[in-house]
Amino acid sequence: MRAVVVALGKIGLPLAAQIALAGHEVVGVDIDPRVVEAVNAAQAPFPGEEGLAEALREVVGAGRLRAVADATRAVAAGAELVVAVPPLVVDEQARPDFRVLDAVVDAIGDGLRPGTVVSVETTLPVGTTRGRVARALAARSGLEPEEEFWTVHSPERVFSGRVFADLATYPKLVGGLSAAGEQRAVALYAAFLAAEVRGMGSAEAAELTKLAETTYRDVNIALANELARYADAIGVDVARVIEAANSQPFSHLHHPGVAVGGHCIPVYPRFLVAGDPDARLPLVAREINDGMPGYAVRRLEAALGDDLAGRRVLILGVAYRGAVKETAFSGAYALRDALAAHGAEALAGDPLYDTDELQQLGFAPWTGGAVDAAIVQADHPAYADLAPDDVPGARVVLDGRGIVRPAPLQAAGIDVVRLGDGSPRLAVADPSLRGA
């Protein structure tokens, strides 16, 4: 098989390598010349993806993977399978901006040849594959859809950092616009994946499945956050409650947290609502989760026993999750703004970002000196062993991710607070925490 993979990001490049590892010829496409150069030199253009460096050395060295910048020429050279993984750009309210996706689809359509399966792996609002992608491909190519070429949706279901393992584990979902197109695509994916390749019966079913997966997580986290707030109000430790509830097979409660960030969970529930304006749960979950940074700041104020005006508060971690250098919809932004609204001086530190990078992201870097309190926003592994010297002068550390080992801080007289730990002192100190 000859395949073309368009957009060699954290999902597209491991996928291209996976296809090549199975013995097929792959052309990867990316508009960033630095990515093209790195791939052709068998070097990973980004860190942290387990097995990628080794895979690139093998498949690039064997001539089964090469990178180019021109998608149209790569597709026009002929391919049984074209996989597109461009980002679907969204604004601050997670409303989709299709310009990048449209440009990639147009470039593919300009080079499309009869007999090709085009698979879009980017997560999409329901109906986008049929109503937008396939129509654009037909218009640009002049080919008859589902007769001369086939369009399918196959949502990525992998986690950056472990893409190869996830590709080998989770069923690959494929939804077509016709039975023939879906069957062809299932066979092509099965040619390079060991995991089950499952036909979904329609592109819409595949699109909805991915939105269902991510919305489930958002709603589940929102429930955990609601339970945490209520536990604080009544003086109960929510961690013990969740552990007990999950001890039987019908509960799978997640854990509360200071924020829900990233490219997926804060975004895709809004895609679901865009197609189903009668949906209510996703919007309520978004409201709850979006409110957690503000709740964390109020809880910090209660823990200090005084208002935050003039206090120096250190935000630990601007990345949206631990060990990942990305800030998409990071809770650090909302924490910064909530602290400022309470009159505090919000400072930020992150082991993955230097001072200049923090400033470019809109944060005031912490360069040392005493602080009054700290909030752990990202679950970076280093924060598990937070020491008093890491938060000099702090009276309170609010562990927004439940990862800090409290003993060293408590031994130095620093109060460690977790969301939902039910501290009676805090529930009494701030009546608003009683769920009124």
mmCIF file of all heavy atoms in Angstrom, residues 345-366:
data_model
loop_
_atom_site.group_PDB
_atom_site.id
_atom_site.type_symbol
_atom_site.label_atom_id
_atom_site.label_comp_id
_atom_site.label_asym_id
_atom_site.label_seq_id
_atom_site.Cartn_x
_atom_site.Cartn_y
_atom_site.Cartn_z
ATOM 1 N N GLU A 345 -1.540 39.314 43.566
ATOM 2 C CA GLU A 345 -0.495 39.351 42.543
ATOM 3 C C GLU A 345 -0.235 37.905 42.112
ATOM 4 O O GLU A 345 0.309 37.113 42.877
ATOM 5 C CB GLU A 345 0.779 39.984 43.093
ATOM 6 C CG GLU A 345 1.908 40.032 42.072
ATOM 7 C CD GLU A 345 3.209 40.533 42.652
ATOM 8 O OE1 GLU A 345 3.250 40.855 43.861
ATOM 9 O OE2 GLU A 345 4.213 40.581 41.899
ATOM 10 N N ALA A 346 -0.646 37.571 40.898
ATOM 11 C CA ALA A 346 -0.513 36.200 40.403
ATOM 12 C C ALA A 346 0.824 36.026 39.705
ATOM 13 O O ALA A 346 1.134 36.734 38.737
ATOM 14 C CB ALA A 346 -1.655 35.882 39.442
ATOM 15 N N LEU A 347 1.613 35.087 40.198
ATOM 16 C CA LEU A 347 2.892 34.735 39.599
ATOM 17 C C LEU A 347 2.803 33.305 39.075
ATOM 18 O O LEU A 347 1.951 32.528 39.505
ATOM 19 C CB LEU A 347 4.011 34.843 40.637
ATOM 20 C CG LEU A 347 4.107 36.192 41.360
ATOM 21 C CD1 LEU A 347 5.062 36.095 42.538
ATOM 22 C CD2 LEU A 347 4.542 37.288 40.390
ATOM 23 N N ALA A 348 3.669 32.956 38.153
ATOM 24 C CA ALA A 348 3.599 31.614 37.560
ATOM 25 C C ALA A 348 4.982 31.024 37.383
ATOM 26 O O ALA A 348 5.949 31.721 37.065
ATOM 27 C CB ALA A 348 2.883 31.667 36.205
ATOM 28 N N GLY A 349 5.055 29.719 37.579
ATOM 29 C CA GLY A 349 6.264 28.962 37.313
ATOM 30 C C GLY A 349 5.900 27.626 36.698
ATOM 31 O O GLY A 349 4.812 27.100 36.939
ATOM 32 N N ASP A 350 6.788 27.099 35.885
ATOM 33 C CA ASP A 350 6.555 25.805 35.249
ATOM 34 C C ASP A 350 7.903 25.265 34.800
ATOM 35 O O ASP A 350 8.650 25.970 34.106
ATOM 36 C CB ASP A 350 5.624 25.957 34.035
ATOM 37 C CG ASP A 350 5.121 24.633 33.514
ATOM 38 O OD1 ASP A 350 5.968 23.780 33.158
ATOM 39 O OD2 ASP A 350 3.892 24.430 33.435
ATOM 40 N N PRO A 351 8.236 24.016 35.173
ATOM 41 C CA PRO A 351 9.553 23.485 34.787
ATOM 42 C C PRO A 351 9.734 23.333 33.289
ATOM 43 O O PRO A 351 10.871 23.175 32.823
ATOM 44 C CB PRO A 351 9.594 22.118 35.493
ATOM 45 C CG PRO A 351 8.168 21.766 35.751
ATOM 46 C CD PRO A 351 7.465 23.067 35.983
ATOM 47 N N LEU A 352 8.654 23.369 32.509
ATOM 48 C CA LEU A 352 8.755 23.200 31.057
ATOM 49 C C LEU A 352 8.901 24.527 30.312
ATOM 50 O O LEU A 352 9.147 24.522 29.104
ATOM 51 C CB LEU A 352 7.521 22.466 30.526
ATOM 52 C CG LEU A 352 7.224 21.096 31.119
ATOM 53 C CD1 LEU A 352 5.997 20.486 30.460
ATOM 54 C CD2 LEU A 352 8.422 20.165 30.978
ATOM 55 N N TYR A 353 8.741 25.657 31.010
ATOM 56 C CA TYR A 353 8.757 26.964 30.358
ATOM 57 C C TYR A 353 9.764 27.876 31.046
ATOM 58 O O TYR A 353 9.812 27.941 32.281
ATOM 59 C CB TYR A 353 7.371 27.611 30.412
ATOM 60 C CG TYR A 353 6.319 26.892 29.603
ATOM 61 C CD1 TYR A 353 5.596 25.828 30.157
ATOM 62 C CD2 TYR A 353 6.046 27.256 28.294
ATOM 63 C CE1 TYR A 353 4.626 25.166 29.428
ATOM 64 C CE2 TYR A 353 5.073 26.600 27.553
ATOM 65 C CZ TYR A 353 4.369 25.558 28.122
ATOM 66 O OH TYR A 353 3.415 24.895 27.389
ATOM 67 N N ASP A 354 10.533 28.610 30.238
ATOM 68 C CA ASP A 354 11.454 29.576 30.814
ATOM 69 C C ASP A 354 10.739 30.922 30.997
ATOM 70 O O ASP A 354 9.569 31.087 30.647
ATOM 71 C CB ASP A 354 12.722 29.728 29.975
ATOM 72 C CG ASP A 354 12.462 30.226 28.554
ATOM 73 O OD1 ASP A 354 11.470 30.954 28.338
ATOM 74 O OD2 ASP A 354 13.260 29.892 27.651
ATOM 75 N N THR A 355 11.477 31.887 31.536
ATOM 76 C CA THR A 355 10.883 33.185 31.867
ATOM 77 C C THR A 355 10.297 33.880 30.645
ATOM 78 O O THR A 355 9.179 34.410 30.688
ATOM 79 C CB THR A 355 11.933 34.078 32.536
ATOM 80 O OG1 THR A 355 12.359 33.463 33.765
ATOM 81 C CG2 THR A 355 11.367 35.453 32.847
ATOM 82 N N ASP A 356 11.043 33.876 29.552
ATOM 83 C CA ASP A 356 10.551 34.543 28.342
ATOM 84 C C ASP A 356 9.274 33.875 27.821
ATOM 85 O O ASP A 356 8.339 34.561 27.389
ATOM 86 C CB ASP A 356 11.630 34.521 27.251
ATOM 87 C CG ASP A 356 12.802 35.438 27.579
ATOM 88 O OD1 ASP A 356 12.625 36.343 28.421
ATOM 89 O OD2 ASP A 356 13.888 35.238 26.998
ATOM 90 N N GLU A 357 9.243 32.552 27.865
ATOM 91 C CA GLU A 357 8.054 31.837 27.382
ATOM 92 C C GLU A 357 6.839 32.137 28.251
ATOM 93 O O GLU A 357 5.723 32.315 27.743
ATOM 94 C CB GLU A 357 8.334 30.333 27.346
ATOM 95 C CG GLU A 357 9.315 29.921 26.260
ATOM 96 C CD GLU A 357 9.706 28.466 26.360
ATOM 97 O OE1 GLU A 357 9.932 27.985 27.497
ATOM 98 O OE2 GLU A 357 9.807 27.809 25.308
ATOM 99 N N LEU A 358 7.037 32.215 29.560
ATOM 100 C CA LEU A 358 5.931 32.536 30.453
ATOM 101 C C LEU A 358 5.394 33.936 30.159
ATOM 102 O O LEU A 358 4.178 34.156 30.129
ATOM 103 C CB LEU A 358 6.376 32.438 31.909
ATOM 104 C CG LEU A 358 6.629 31.022 32.439
ATOM 105 C CD1 LEU A 358 7.258 31.079 33.824
ATOM 106 C CD2 LEU A 358 5.333 30.215 32.491
ATOM 107 N N GLN A 359 6.292 34.873 29.922
ATOM 108 C CA GLN A 359 5.860 36.235 29.601
ATOM 109 C C GLN A 359 5.096 36.266 28.281
ATOM 110 O O GLN A 359 4.074 36.953 28.157
ATOM 111 C CB GLN A 359 7.068 37.164 29.544
ATOM 112 C CG GLN A 359 7.679 37.457 30.902
ATOM 113 C CD GLN A 359 8.922 38.316 30.823
ATOM 114 O OE1 GLN A 359 9.660 38.272 29.832
ATOM 115 N NE2 GLN A 359 9.171 39.106 31.858
ATOM 116 N N GLN A 360 5.573 35.521 27.301
ATOM 117 C CA GLN A 360 4.889 35.485 26.013
ATOM 118 C C GLN A 360 3.496 34.887 26.138
ATOM 119 O O GLN A 360 2.590 35.237 25.373
ATOM 120 C CB GLN A 360 5.721 34.682 25.006
ATOM 121 C CG GLN A 360 7.004 35.372 24.589
ATOM 122 C CD GLN A 360 7.929 34.474 23.787
ATOM 123 O OE1 GLN A 360 7.579 33.344 23.431
ATOM 124 N NE2 GLN A 360 9.126 34.949 23.504
ATOM 125 N N LEU A 361 3.302 33.995 27.105
ATOM 126 C CA LEU A 361 1.992 33.390 27.331
ATOM 127 C C LEU A 361 1.074 34.283 28.167
ATOM 128 O O LEU A 361 -0.093 33.952 28.357
ATOM 129 C CB LEU A 361 2.154 32.040 28.030
ATOM 130 C CG LEU A 361 2.768 30.913 27.180
ATOM 131 C CD1 LEU A 361 3.117 29.721 28.066
ATOM 132 C CD2 LEU A 361 1.807 30.488 26.074
ATOM 133 N N GLY A 362 1.608 35.406 28.650
ATOM 134 C CA GLY A 362 0.785 36.345 29.394
ATOM 135 C C GLY A 362 0.840 36.189 30.896
ATOM 136 O O GLY A 362 -0.037 36.694 31.603
ATOM 137 N N PHE A 363 1.889 35.512 31.408
ATOM 138 C CA PHE A 363 2.027 35.320 32.846
ATOM 139 C C PHE A 363 3.198 36.142 33.384
ATOM 140 O O PHE A 363 4.181 36.392 32.673
ATOM 141 C CB PHE A 363 2.271 33.841 33.174
ATOM 142 C CG PHE A 363 1.096 32.957 32.859
ATOM 143 C CD1 PHE A 363 1.031 32.262 31.664
ATOM 144 C CD2 PHE A 363 0.037 32.843 33.749
ATOM 145 C CE1 PHE A 363 -0.052 31.452 31.364
ATOM 146 C CE2 PHE A 363 -1.053 32.035 33.459
ATOM 147 C CZ PHE A 363 -1.094 31.345 32.265
ATOM 148 N N ALA A 364 3.080 36.526 34.642
ATOM 149 C CA ALA A 364 4.190 37.165 35.338
ATOM 150 C C ALA A 364 5.062 36.069 35.941
ATOM 151 O O ALA A 364 4.618 35.369 36.862
ATOM 152 C CB ALA A 364 3.662 38.092 36.432
ATOM 153 N N PRO A 365 6.273 35.867 35.434
ATOM 154 C CA PRO A 365 7.096 34.757 35.928
ATOM 155 C C PRO A 365 7.533 34.975 37.376
ATOM 156 O O PRO A 365 7.835 36.108 37.782
ATOM 157 C CB PRO A 365 8.306 34.764 34.985
ATOM 158 C CG PRO A 365 7.904 35.613 33.822
ATOM 159 C CD PRO A 365 6.925 36.609 34.351
ATOM 160 N N TRP A 366 7.536 33.886 38.107
ATOM 161 C CA TRP A 366 8.096 33.923 39.456
ATOM 162 C C TRP A 366 9.597 33.678 39.338
ATOM 163 O O TRP A 366 10.034 32.633 38.837
ATOM 164 C CB TRP A 366 7.449 32.852 40.326
ATOM 165 C CG TRP A 366 8.010 32.799 41.722
ATOM 166 C CD1 TRP A 366 7.958 33.771 42.672
ATOM 167 C CD2 TRP A 366 8.714 31.716 42.338
ATOM 168 N NE1 TRP A 366 8.568 33.386 43.836
ATOM 169 C CE2 TRP A 366 9.048 32.117 43.658
ATOM 170 C CE3 TRP A 366 9.091 30.446 41.900
ATOM 171 C CZ2 TRP A 366 9.736 31.289 44.534
ATOM 172 C CZ3 TRP A 366 9.776 29.616 42.781
ATOM 173 C CH2 TRP A 366 10.100 30.031 44.084
#
